[in-house]
Amino acid sequence: MTTSEGEQSGGAGVEQTPGGGGGGAARPEERLEQAVRAAEQALIEFEIAVETFRVEVENFSRLHEQKLGPVYARLEELEARILEVRAARSDDPEDRRRADEARARLMPIPGVEELLNGWMDGDGLFPEATAMLTGQPVRPPQRVRPSEEARKLYRDLARKAHPDLAQEDKERARREEFITRVNAAYARGSEEELRELAEEWAAGPELKRVPSAGEELYARLEWLARRKELLTLVARELEDGAIGSMLRLAPDDPDRLLEEIAERLWTQVTEREAELAALLA
């Protein structure tokens, strides 16, 4: 997902609707209603694209941390150790300063809560933590991207149940609670949960849209425009972040990108280990 793509999809629907179709001129309110509906659908499509990319970034970040975190830590430890050995040999204050700075950059030993953060919940250790402590293979993290079927189910639910389609506070609250559950199921890539949510929505109450007055329609368009600007900023932040930038390098095979980075890092680790061994010899 790129910001330009989202902006194009966000603008296309609005331009097609004014004027309507068929014979006869439509009332100004009708044309405004058409513009609002088109803007709502365009915004929903844009929000779906942003949310999909956010899920991809989040899952790729987890993969990146799991696969490369230990390698980065080993490399930083070796570099700090090399500087410390050099400082001990040279007794140069500048060498000592660099060694101290490198050591200070390393993560300190965490407390119990920090150590178990992300590895334990109210029911005890997560399966990944248990596997690591018992020497068993660690279950790989979730897919970097939800399946095509999960995407289809998510998009369909987002179009039908999006809170922006509500005209009453009570209905908006119901939709917001429902969409929160939809987003969580989508982040897990669970097709089964998304199907169950689709059935739940289909069986739920269906409120009729109340036609808006002209002033309310104009206010609605202004709100949609502000919301689109906010989503554009969110999308750009995701794209410009370190993980988003990495995903753009290999959108079709991010796993291979991680493997390539890991290979380069392990080469550096080998070089640092040899350098340290030579200094200690």
Side-chain angles (χ1 to χ4, degrees):
M1 201 282 298
T2 63
T3 304
S4 59
E5 290 172 353
E7 290 174 344
Q8 289 170 5
S9 68
V14 180
E15 294 173 358
Q16 295 171 358
T17 51
R27 294 184 300 108
E29 291 82 0
E30 290 178 350
R31 292 198 298 270
L32 193 54
E33 287 171 4
Q34 291 173 352
V36 169
R37 286 196 295 271
E40 287 173 341
Q41 289 302 316
L43 181 68
I44 289 172
E45 291 295 329
F46 190 25
E47 192 159 350
I48 289 171
V50 173
E51 176 64 15
T52 295
F53 190 61
R54 187 196 66 76
V55 169
E56 293 174 4
V57 168
E58 185 177 281
N59 288 340
F60 187 74
S61 178
R62 292 179 63 237
L63 281 171
H64 180 273
E65 177 63 25
Q66 185 179 67
K67 289 188 175 182
L68 302 184
V71 191
Y72 281 122
R74 175 61 177 160
L75 187 58
E76 290 172 355
E77 172 63 30
L78 285 169
E79 290 177 344
R81 186 76 183 104
I82 288 171
L83 289 172
E84 288 170 342
V85 173
R86 287 177 176 168
R89 286 191 172 188
S90 68
D91 203 24
D92 186 324
E94 182 63 20
D95 288 344
R96 172 50 56 189
R97 183 189 63 79
R98 285 196 292 265
D100 291 342
E101 288 180 352
R103 178 59 62 184
R105 283 194 296 268
L106 298 179
M107 292 293 291
I109 298 176
V112 174
E113 288 94 1
E114 296 172 309
L115 187 63
L116 295 178
N117 182 36
W119 296 101
M120 175 180 282
D121 60 11
D123 298 325
L125 290 173
F126 290 145
E128 291 90 343
T130 302
M132 292 185 70
L133 291 173
T134 57
Q136 300 299 316
V138 178
R139 178 174 59 84
Q142 287 180 307
R143 291 172 53 90
V144 174
R145 297 181 174 183
S147 67
E148 288 300 320
E149 180 63 19
R151 288 169 180 250
K152 179 179 180 297
L153 290 165
Y154 174 76
R155 291 172 67 88
D156 188 53
L157 280 168
R159 291 191 187 101
K160 292 178 179 177
H162 201 283
D164 290 349
L165 299 180
Q167 294 295 313
E168 299 176 351
D169 292 341
K170 183 177 179 180
E171 173 64 2
R172 172 175 287 276
R174 182 177 80 92
R175 288 171 176 263
E176 287 176 347
E177 185 275 335
F178 184 80
I179 284 295
T180 297
R181 293 157 58 202
V182 170
N183 288 340
Y186 183 60
R188 290 190 289 271
S190 176
E191 295 179 20
E192 181 179 354
E193 290 182 57
L194 289 169
R195 289 193 185 95
E196 292 174 354
L197 288 166
E199 293 174 1
E200 178 184 333
W201 181 261
E206 191 171 318
L207 302 182
K208 294 182 179 180
R209 278 180 74 94
V210 179
S212 303
E215 293 81 7
E216 292 176 330
L217 288 170
Y218 277 115
R220 180 69 172 162
L221 279 176
E222 291 176 356
W223 183 91
L224 291 167
R226 291 195 300 270
R227 176 65 177 167
K228 181 168 176 283
E229 289 176 1
L230 176 62
L231 284 172
T232 300
L233 292 176
V234 171
R236 285 175 178 166
E237 287 179 2
L238 287 170
E239 292 173 343
D240 295 341
I243 298 298
S245 299
M246 292 175 66
L247 273 174
R248 290 206 308 273
L249 293 175
D252 298 325
D253 193 5
D255 288 336
R256 179 54 192 162
L257 176 62
L258 285 181
E259 293 173 3
E260 293 175 355
I261 295 173
E263 290 172 3
R264 291 197 294 269
L265 288 175
W266 277 118
T267 298
Q268 295 177 38
V269 166
T270 301
E271 293 171 351
R272 297 299 188 278
E273 288 176 338
E275 183 178 354
L276 179 60
L279 286 171
L280 296 173

